[in-house]
Amino acid sequence: MTTPVDMLPLADLDRVELSIGGMTCAACAGRVERALGKLDGVTASVNFATERAVVTGLAPEQADQAVAAVKKAGYEASVRVDGDDEWSRRAAVDRVTSLRRRLLVSAILTVPLMDITLVLALVPGLRFPGWELLCVLLSLPVVTWAAWPFHRATARNLRHGSVTMDTLVSLGILASFGWAVATILMGEGGSSYWIGYGQTPAGASAIYLDVAAGMTTFQLAGRYFESRSRRKAGDVLDALAALAPDRARVVRDGVEVVVPSGQVRVGELVVVRAGETIPVDGQVVEGRAFVDTSTVTGEPVPRETTVGDLAVTGTTSADGRLVLRAVAVGAHTQLAQMTAIAERAQASKARVEALVDRIVRVFVPVVIALAIAVGVAWLWAGAQPAHAIGVGISVLIIACPCALGLATPTALMVGIGRGAQLGILIKGQSALEASGRIDTVVLDKTGTLTLSTLVIEQLTLAPGADRVRVLQWAAAVEQGSEHPVAAAIARYAAASVADLPTVTDFRTIPGRGAAGVIDGREVVVASVPHAIDERMPLPADVRDAVDDAAASGRSSVVLATDGVVEAVFTVADEVRPSAKAAVSQLQRMGLSTVLLTGDTAAAARRVADELGISEVRAEVMPADKAGVIAALQADGHRVAMVGDGINDAAALGTADLGMAVVSGTDIALKSADIILVRDDLRVIADAIALSRRTLRTIRGNLVWAFGYNVAAIPLAAAGLLNPLISAAAMSLSSVLVVWNSLRLRSAKARR
C-alpha cells in the first residue's frame, strides 16, 4: 500500500523551502534569516552550506512573500520543490564557473606583477619610464573585475546597513590599491611586502600593488576551492536522488511500453530486465533475480528476490527478469522519502551553529573597528604610514571568520548525506548531539532482534504417529488460517510433503487454533491450553517437549485426531542472523545493552542468552515501554532505543536517541531520530559511529576555526604577518574546514 499524500511530511501546510542565491558567508545567511523573520508570524532558518531557507508559519501559496523579502535584502531566491532543485544546482555551477574565470585572470596578471614589483624594487637600475603605470594597469583588472564579487556583495550589504566577511576582503583590497596609487602620485616609496615586513635595500623603493593583487588572487582561490568542495558535499545526497531511473517499462493492454517513471500508476505491472534499475517500489509477481541494493541500503551482497518480495526504487536487478506490481511511485517511494528526510535534516541547524551565527554577526563590525584602531595605534607609535596601513589590513583580512561559518553546516551536510547512502537516515542535528552522550542501548525483541515470522524448531511425535501424515494433515488444516503460527507450520511442512488432503468443515478456534475434517476424522491444530481444556491427554513424549519449550521461552502447538494428541510443534521467533554481531559491536563500543519485550521472561532470556545480553526487561506492554526508558534515564543513563517503529513509538520518542529499524516502504512516519533502512542490525553500530564521527568533525572544525582567529589576530596586530600571508592563511583555513568535513565521505559500513 502507498502512504496517503496527506500523511507524508513532504508538503507541510505552513512550511516553505527556498533556494537562496548570492550568499557568500555565514553573515549573509544571518541577514536573509532576519529579513524573512520580519514577515508576520514567520520564523526562518537559513543554512549557508546548503543555501536553503526553511520558512515556517507561511502557507505555500504565500511563498512569493518570502521570495520578495529575500530579494529586498539583496539576494536571489526561488521556491524549492522536493526532489527538484535545478535552480540551486544551476546557480552553484554558474558561481563556480565565474570564480574559476576570475581566478585564472587574476593569477595570470598577479604573477608578472609580483615579479616586476620585486625585481624593480630591489634593482632600481632596471626601472624604465612609466613602470609604475604598467603595474597599475596590470593590477587594475585584478582589483576591479576579478575582485568584483567581493565589492558587489559589500555594496549590496552597505545599502542595507550591514557588513559581512566580504566587507573585510573588499576593504582590504581597496585600501591596498588606494594606498599604492597614492604613494605613486605623491612620489613616496614604502616597505616591500613580497616576503614579510622590513625595509627594502638602500636606494630601492616599492609600491603596494602586489599586495592588492595577491590578496585578491588568494581570496578568489580560497572562495573557488571552497565552493567546489561545498558542491561535492551536496553531491553526496544528489547521488542518492539520482538513483531513480527516468524511464519505466510498463505493461499496458498486454504490451510492454516505455514511459516516464512519473507516469507509472499504482497497481500497474512494471517489467525490469537484468541489469536495469528498478523505477518504482513494487511487489514481485513474476520472476526471480538477485537484486543489488547497495546503492540504497549499503548492503554489499545482492539479495535474492522472488515472487511476493518487495523491491524498491534505485536498486538493480543483477541477473534476472522481474515483473513488479507498483505499490509506491514518485514521491511516495522509499528512495524519495529517504532523500526528502535527509535533505530536511541537512537544512536544519545545530544549536552550536545558531551560536556561531550570532558571533559572526557581531564579529565583522568589531574586526573593522579593531583594524582601524590597530592602524591608528601604529601611527601613534611613530610607524611609517605604509607599515601602519599594512598592519591594519593584515588584521582586517586574517580575522575573517569564514571558517567559523562553515565549520558546522558542511560537516552536517556531508555526514547526513553519507548516512543516507549507507541506509542510515539522520533526521536532524539533535540525533548527532544525542549520539555523543548515550551509554545504554535498549533493544526491542520482536521485529527488531528477531524476525517478524515464526519458525517451527522441532516436531515431536507421540508413539505410533506417522510423521508424513501428521505434516500433511497439519498443513491442510492450517492453510485455511492466516495466523502466523499457521504460516510457520505450512512452511515447515512444505519442505517434506507436497500433496495435501482435502479439508471439510474447516473452522477457526478463536485465540486457540483451527480444526477441520479429513477423511472423516476430526483434526485439531491448537494451543496446549485448548488441548487441556478439551481433556485431550498428552502422551509422555509430548508432555516433555511442551515442558522443555515452556522452560526455554518457546510456544507449543499440538495436533490431535479425534481427541487424541499425536504430535506437538515447538514454535519460536527466529533471531536475525546479524543480531549477535550487532550486539557484540555495541558492547565493544562501550555501550550497555538491554533487551526489552512484552514476551515472557523465559522467551526473553532465551534470546538474550543467545545474543550475549545480560539485562532483560520482559513482559512489558507497549504502553509501558516508555516508562522503562524513563526509569533508566532517571538512574542517570543516556538511552538509545532501537525498535521497529510501530509499537515502539512512545519509547522511541522518550529515549535520548530513537532509532527505528524499518522494513517496507513507509519510512516517513516513524517516531525516531534515526531511521535504519539497511536490513542488517550492524547498521545500529554504524549509525552511532557515523553520528559520533560527524560530531567529532564539527567539534574539530570549530576548535580550528576559533583557534585560528584567536591566535592570528594578535600576530597580525603585532605587525608579524604580511597582508599577503594573512590573505593566504584565511583562504586556506576555510578550505581546510571543508576538506575535513569531506573526509566523512569515507565512512563505511561495518562487516
Side-chain angles (χ1 to χ4, degrees), residues 267 303 335 361 493:
R303 179 187 301 176
L335 180 66
R361 193 182 309 165

Side-chain angles (χ1 to χ4, degrees), residues 351-441:
R351 285 191 288 269
V352 68
E353 189 178 350
L355 174 62
V356 168
D357 287 349
R358 290 196 296 271
I359 292 173
V360 168
R361 193 182 309 165
V362 177
F363 198 78
V364 175
V366 168
V367 167
I368 295 174
L370 179 62
I372 295 172
V374 167
V376 171
W378 275 91
L379 282 173
W380 186 267
Q384 292 293 321
H387 186 78
I389 290 175
V391 174
I393 292 173
S394 290
V395 172
L396 200 67
I397 298 302
I398 200 70
C400 269
C402 290
L404 198 58
L406 291 167
T408 300
T410 51
L412 279 174
M413 183 163 58
V414 179
I416 290 171
R418 181 55 181 159
Q421 291 181 324
L422 296 175
I424 303 165
L425 294 183
I426 303 171
K427 281 191 172 181
Q429 51 79 24
S430 61
L432 300 175
E433 294 172 350
S435 68
R437 300 191 304 267
I438 63 169
D439 55 44
T440 302
V441 179

Side-chain angles (χ1 to χ4, degrees), residues 700-724:
N701 286 349
L702 289 173
V703 168
W704 165 256
F706 274 112
Y708 161 83
N709 282 112
V710 169
I713 292 176
L715 290 175
L720 300 176
L721 287 180
N722 183 303
L724 286 177

Side-chain angles (χ1 to χ4, degrees), residues 171-228:
L171 286 177
I173 294 170
L174 293 177
S176 302
F177 181 76
W179 179 254
V181 173
T183 56
I184 292 172
L185 294 176
M186 292 184 295
E188 297 180 4
S191 301
S192 172
Y193 285 89
W194 176 245
I195 300 177
Y197 284 108
Q199 296 297 318
T200 56
S205 61
I207 55 178
Y208 213 55
L209 294 170
D210 53 347
V211 172
M215 187 184 306
T216 302
T217 302
F218 286 135
Q219 291 297 314
L220 285 171
R223 190 65 60 85
Y224 169 69
F225 288 114
E226 172 198 314
S227 296
R228 278 194 60 186

Side-chain angles (χ1 to χ4, degrees), residues 444 446 448 596 622 625 641-653 671:
D444 173 59
T446 307
T448 302
L596 179 63
K625 289 183 178 180
M641 170 67 189
V642 184
D644 60 13
I646 301 172
N647 296 323
D648 304 315
L652 290 168
S671 302

